[in-house]
């Protein structure tokens, strides 16, 4: 199993920085990158086309359950997108830094 995971989450532009900062303060993530995206999806029977921001967060895999709990508590959506992907490879110096920052 990978020690590091990349967690993807979309959020309204007005909430992205607040979410990432709170997760950083709790040391649940080492880094959060924010990029604008346009999300098209079906919600409650309606087609939606919304500007959002994609949060790309790096964390120790052991923190993923607590991270999911924290995001769902502070996120404005009822059902936020939260997808964790194990990072099996990468620059070891960076991977070590992620572990250190989330310890």
């Amino acid at each position: 199993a990978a020690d590091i995971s990349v967690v993807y989450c979309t959020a309204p532009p007005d909430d992205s920085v607040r979410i990432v900062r709170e997760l950083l303060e709790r040391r649940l993530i080492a880094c959060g990158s924010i990029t604008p995206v346009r999300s098209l999806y079906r919600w409650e029977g309606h087609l939606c086309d919304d500007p959002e921001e994609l949060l790309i967060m790096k964390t120790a895999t052991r923190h993923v359950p607590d991270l999911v709990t924290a995001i769902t508590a502070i996120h404005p959506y009822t059902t936020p997108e939260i997808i964790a992907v194990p990072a099996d490879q990468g620059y070891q110096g960076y991977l070590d830094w992620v572990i250190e920052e989330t310890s």
Side-chain angles (χ1 to χ4, degrees), residues 24 40 54-55 80 92:
L24 283 166
L40 290 87
L54 177 62
L55 316 181
Q92 194 59 51

Side-chain angles (χ1 to χ4, degrees), residues 3-4 30 90-103:
D3 291 337
I4 304 296
Y91 171 57
Q92 194 59 51
Y94 183 81
L95 302 178
D96 292 343
W97 174 80
V98 170
I99 293 294
E100 181 179 318
E101 287 302 309
T102 57
S103 294

Side-chain angles (χ1 to χ4, degrees), residues 20-89:
V20 170
R21 284 186 186 276
E22 186 159 338
L23 298 172
L24 283 166
E25 288 171 7
R26 294 186 193 186
R27 296 188 80 91
L28 290 173
I29 61 172
C31 175
S33 302
I34 301 171
T35 188
V37 294
R38 178 178 175 186
S39 294
L40 290 87
Y41 56 97
R42 185 181 310 278
W43 182 251
E44 297 179 344
H46 301 284
L47 291 178
C48 301
D49 184 344
D50 295 316
E52 292 186 302
E53 289 184 334
L54 177 62
L55 316 181
I56 306 166
M57 300 170 283
K58 284 64 75 174
T59 191
T61 299
R62 71 180 182 277
H63 289 310
V64 170
D66 289 338
L67 183 57
V68 170
T69 299
I71 293 170
T72 56
I74 63 177
H75 201 287
Y77 293 170
T78 305
T79 308
E81 171 190 347
I82 307 170
I83 299 173
V85 180
D88 293 328
Q89 298 181 38

